[in-house]
Amino acid sequence: MKKSLEVCFIVSLILFLLTGSLLVIGQVVGILIQNGELITKSHEIFSKPAFLLSAMAGVIAYLLKQTKKQKVSEESSEA
């Protein structure tokens, strides 16, 4: 279970960083060429996936932290 959570976390983190970067790059290019529609379209296309992936990465990170705490508490109770 922990290994699959780690893989899901890495995948969601990479995808989140990619979509977030594309969002920012699109907006910066829109500012540089002074094209408001490019800024708006970049936000429309990339914001929802970036926010969703960041939320997924956060939840998975929380679950990974909880599984680590459970493992530590199990080891200390055995001693």
Tab-separated table of all heavy atoms in Angstrom, residues 5-11 13 17 20 22-23 25 33 35-38 40 52-54 65 71-72 76-77:
chain	number	residue	atom	x	y	z
A	5	LEU	N	1.133	4.278	-2.827
A	5	LEU	CA	0.898	5.673	-2.465
A	5	LEU	C	2.085	6.546	-2.874
A	5	LEU	O	1.899	7.672	-3.340
A	5	LEU	CB	0.651	5.813	-0.964
A	5	LEU	CG	-0.732	5.484	-0.451
A	5	LEU	CD1	-0.778	5.553	1.069
A	5	LEU	CD2	-1.770	6.417	-1.037
A	6	GLU	N	3.288	6.027	-2.695
A	6	GLU	CA	4.470	6.791	-3.087
A	6	GLU	C	4.496	7.035	-4.593
A	6	GLU	O	4.807	8.136	-5.050
A	6	GLU	CB	5.738	6.071	-2.645
A	6	GLU	CG	5.957	6.090	-1.146
A	6	GLU	CD	7.128	5.240	-0.704
A	6	GLU	OE1	7.676	4.471	-1.532
A	6	GLU	OE2	7.505	5.348	0.474
A	7	VAL	N	4.155	6.017	-5.367
A	7	VAL	CA	4.120	6.168	-6.818
A	7	VAL	C	3.044	7.169	-7.229
A	7	VAL	O	3.285	8.051	-8.064
A	7	VAL	CB	3.892	4.794	-7.508
A	7	VAL	CG1	3.619	4.962	-8.989
A	7	VAL	CG2	5.080	3.877	-7.278
A	8	CYS	N	1.861	7.064	-6.631
A	8	CYS	CA	0.779	8.017	-6.931
A	8	CYS	C	1.179	9.437	-6.552
A	8	CYS	O	0.869	10.388	-7.276
A	8	CYS	CB	-0.495	7.626	-6.195
A	8	CYS	SG	-1.284	6.157	-6.840
A	9	PHE	N	1.879	9.590	-5.433
A	9	PHE	CA	2.316	10.914	-5.009
A	9	PHE	C	3.304	11.502	-6.013
A	9	PHE	O	3.180	12.663	-6.412
A	9	PHE	CB	2.958	10.850	-3.618
A	9	PHE	CG	3.568	12.156	-3.198
A	9	PHE	CD1	2.769	13.229	-2.860
A	9	PHE	CD2	4.941	12.313	-3.157
A	9	PHE	CE1	3.324	14.441	-2.480
A	9	PHE	CE2	5.505	13.515	-2.782
A	9	PHE	CZ	4.699	14.582	-2.440
A	10	ILE	N	4.267	10.714	-6.433
A	10	ILE	CA	5.275	11.208	-7.379
A	10	ILE	C	4.629	11.587	-8.706
A	10	ILE	O	4.913	12.648	-9.273
A	10	ILE	CB	6.391	10.157	-7.571
A	10	ILE	CG1	7.200	10.042	-6.279
A	10	ILE	CG2	7.289	10.513	-8.745
A	10	ILE	CD1	8.183	8.887	-6.257
A	11	VAL	N	3.731	10.751	-9.191
A	11	VAL	CA	3.053	11.038	-10.465
A	11	VAL	C	2.209	12.301	-10.350
A	11	VAL	O	2.268	13.184	-11.215
A	11	VAL	CB	2.190	9.830	-10.908
A	11	VAL	CG1	1.284	10.190	-12.063
A	11	VAL	CG2	3.090	8.654	-11.281
A	13	LEU	N	2.539	14.743	-8.243
A	13	LEU	CA	3.404	15.897	-8.032
A	13	LEU	C	4.030	16.354	-9.344
A	13	LEU	O	4.050	17.555	-9.649
A	13	LEU	CB	4.488	15.567	-7.013
A	13	LEU	CG	5.419	16.700	-6.619
A	13	LEU	CD1	4.632	17.782	-5.890
A	13	LEU	CD2	6.536	16.194	-5.744
A	17	LEU	N	3.244	19.931	-11.084
A	17	LEU	CA	4.291	20.897	-11.421
A	17	LEU	C	4.282	21.225	-12.915
A	17	LEU	O	4.504	22.377	-13.304
A	17	LEU	CB	5.658	20.363	-10.996
A	17	LEU	CG	5.878	20.275	-9.486
A	17	LEU	CD1	7.191	19.569	-9.175
A	17	LEU	CD2	5.846	21.642	-8.852
A	20	GLY	N	1.115	23.412	-13.592
A	20	GLY	CA	1.342	24.724	-12.983
A	20	GLY	C	2.342	25.546	-13.780
A	20	GLY	O	2.167	26.755	-13.966
A	22	LEU	N	2.979	25.202	-17.011
A	22	LEU	CA	2.330	25.598	-18.262
A	22	LEU	C	1.381	26.771	-18.042
A	22	LEU	O	1.299	27.674	-18.890
A	22	LEU	CB	1.589	24.410	-18.873
A	22	LEU	CG	2.471	23.300	-19.430
A	22	LEU	CD1	1.615	22.095	-19.832
A	22	LEU	CD2	3.296	23.787	-20.596
A	23	LEU	N	0.697	26.774	-16.922
A	23	LEU	CA	-0.198	27.886	-16.588
A	23	LEU	C	0.585	29.193	-16.473
A	23	LEU	O	0.232	30.203	-17.086
A	23	LEU	CB	-0.925	27.590	-15.276
A	23	LEU	CG	-1.738	28.718	-14.641
A	23	LEU	CD1	-2.894	29.115	-15.537
A	23	LEU	CD2	-2.244	28.301	-13.284
A	25	ILE	N	3.687	29.862	-17.574
A	25	ILE	CA	4.345	30.207	-18.839
A	25	ILE	C	3.344	30.851	-19.801
A	25	ILE	O	3.648	31.855	-20.453
A	25	ILE	CB	5.010	28.967	-19.463
A	25	ILE	CG1	6.231	28.556	-18.636
A	25	ILE	CG2	5.410	29.218	-20.914
A	25	ILE	CD1	6.795	27.200	-18.992
A	33	ILE	N	3.508	39.541	-24.697
A	33	ILE	CA	3.015	39.944	-26.021
A	33	ILE	C	1.732	40.766	-25.919
A	33	ILE	O	1.127	41.102	-26.931
A	33	ILE	CB	2.809	38.723	-26.950
A	33	ILE	CG1	1.728	37.776	-26.409
A	33	ILE	CG2	4.107	37.986	-27.174
A	33	ILE	CD1	1.371	36.654	-27.365
A	35	ASN	N	-1.333	40.068	-24.776
A	35	ASN	CA	-2.502	39.376	-25.306
A	35	ASN	C	-3.335	38.871	-24.122
A	35	ASN	O	-3.019	37.850	-23.518
A	35	ASN	CB	-2.048	38.206	-26.197
A	35	ASN	CG	-3.207	37.513	-26.874
A	35	ASN	OD1	-4.352	37.679	-26.492
A	35	ASN	ND2	-2.893	36.726	-27.890
A	36	GLY	N	-4.375	39.608	-23.796
A	36	GLY	CA	-5.222	39.255	-22.657
A	36	GLY	C	-5.950	37.934	-22.833
A	36	GLY	O	-6.193	37.220	-21.865
A	37	GLU	N	-6.298	37.612	-24.054
A	37	GLU	CA	-7.010	36.356	-24.293
A	37	GLU	C	-6.123	35.148	-24.004
A	37	GLU	O	-6.603	34.133	-23.493
A	37	GLU	CB	-7.517	36.291	-25.731
A	37	GLU	CG	-8.413	35.091	-25.961
A	37	GLU	CD	-9.147	35.154	-27.288
A	37	GLU	OE1	-9.367	36.252	-27.801
A	37	GLU	OE2	-9.496	34.063	-27.775
A	38	LEU	N	-4.834	35.250	-24.292
A	38	LEU	CA	-3.906	34.161	-23.992
A	38	LEU	C	-3.814	33.940	-22.483
A	38	LEU	O	-3.776	32.799	-22.018
A	38	LEU	CB	-2.516	34.446	-24.571
A	38	LEU	CG	-1.450	33.368	-24.338
A	38	LEU	CD1	-1.876	32.044	-24.950
A	38	LEU	CD2	-0.122	33.820	-24.903
A	40	THR	N	-6.165	34.625	-20.277
A	40	THR	CA	-7.436	34.046	-19.851
A	40	THR	C	-7.548	32.582	-20.268
A	40	THR	O	-7.957	31.734	-19.468
A	40	THR	CB	-8.609	34.840	-20.458
A	40	THR	OG1	-8.451	36.221	-20.117
A	40	THR	CG2	-9.936	34.343	-19.949
A	52	LEU	N	-6.554	20.531	-9.013
A	52	LEU	CA	-6.959	19.171	-8.682
A	52	LEU	C	-5.746	18.300	-8.357
A	52	LEU	O	-5.730	17.572	-7.362
A	52	LEU	CB	-7.754	18.555	-9.839
A	52	LEU	CG	-8.181	17.107	-9.661
A	52	LEU	CD1	-9.199	16.996	-8.539
A	52	LEU	CD2	-8.764	16.560	-10.947
A	53	LEU	N	-4.716	18.389	-9.194
A	53	LEU	CA	-3.514	17.583	-8.962
A	53	LEU	C	-2.783	18.001	-7.695
A	53	LEU	O	-2.237	17.157	-6.984
A	53	LEU	CB	-2.583	17.672	-10.175
A	53	LEU	CG	-3.085	16.938	-11.420
A	53	LEU	CD1	-2.299	17.375	-12.648
A	53	LEU	CD2	-2.969	15.437	-11.224
A	54	SER	N	-2.789	19.292	-7.390
A	54	SER	CA	-2.132	19.726	-6.154
A	54	SER	C	-2.901	19.218	-4.932
A	54	SER	O	-2.288	18.829	-3.933
A	54	SER	CB	-2.003	21.244	-6.111
A	54	SER	OG	-3.265	21.859	-5.993
A	65	LYS	N	2.208	10.310	5.367
A	65	LYS	CA	2.664	10.714	6.697
A	65	LYS	C	1.967	9.886	7.770
A	65	LYS	O	2.600	9.477	8.753
A	65	LYS	CB	2.390	12.206	6.905
A	65	LYS	CG	2.905	12.755	8.180
A	65	LYS	CD	4.398	12.875	8.152
A	65	LYS	CE	4.863	13.619	9.390
A	65	LYS	NZ	6.303	13.643	9.500
A	71	LYS	N	3.551	3.141	11.493
A	71	LYS	CA	4.669	2.206	11.505
A	71	LYS	C	5.583	2.492	12.691
A	71	LYS	O	6.025	1.584	13.373
A	71	LYS	CB	5.451	2.308	10.198
A	71	LYS	CG	6.574	1.316	10.077
A	71	LYS	CD	7.285	1.428	8.749
A	71	LYS	CE	8.413	0.426	8.679
A	71	LYS	NZ	9.157	0.529	7.430
A	72	VAL	N	5.842	3.761	12.971
A	72	VAL	CA	6.698	4.126	14.100
A	72	VAL	C	6.041	3.732	15.414
A	72	VAL	O	6.700	3.202	16.298
A	72	VAL	CB	7.002	5.649	14.070
A	72	VAL	CG1	7.665	6.101	15.349
A	72	VAL	CG2	7.871	5.992	12.881
A	76	SER	N	7.517	1.064	18.228
A	76	SER	CA	7.786	1.450	19.616
A	76	SER	C	6.981	0.595	20.591
A	76	SER	O	7.417	0.352	21.705
A	76	SER	CB	7.474	2.933	19.825
A	76	SER	OG	6.097	3.183	19.630
A	77	SER	N	5.798	0.131	20.207
A	77	SER	CA	5.014	-0.711	21.101
A	77	SER	C	5.587	-2.115	21.187
A	77	SER	O	5.387	-2.800	22.181
A	77	SER	CB	3.548	-0.764	20.640
A	77	SER	OG	3.454	-1.411	19.385
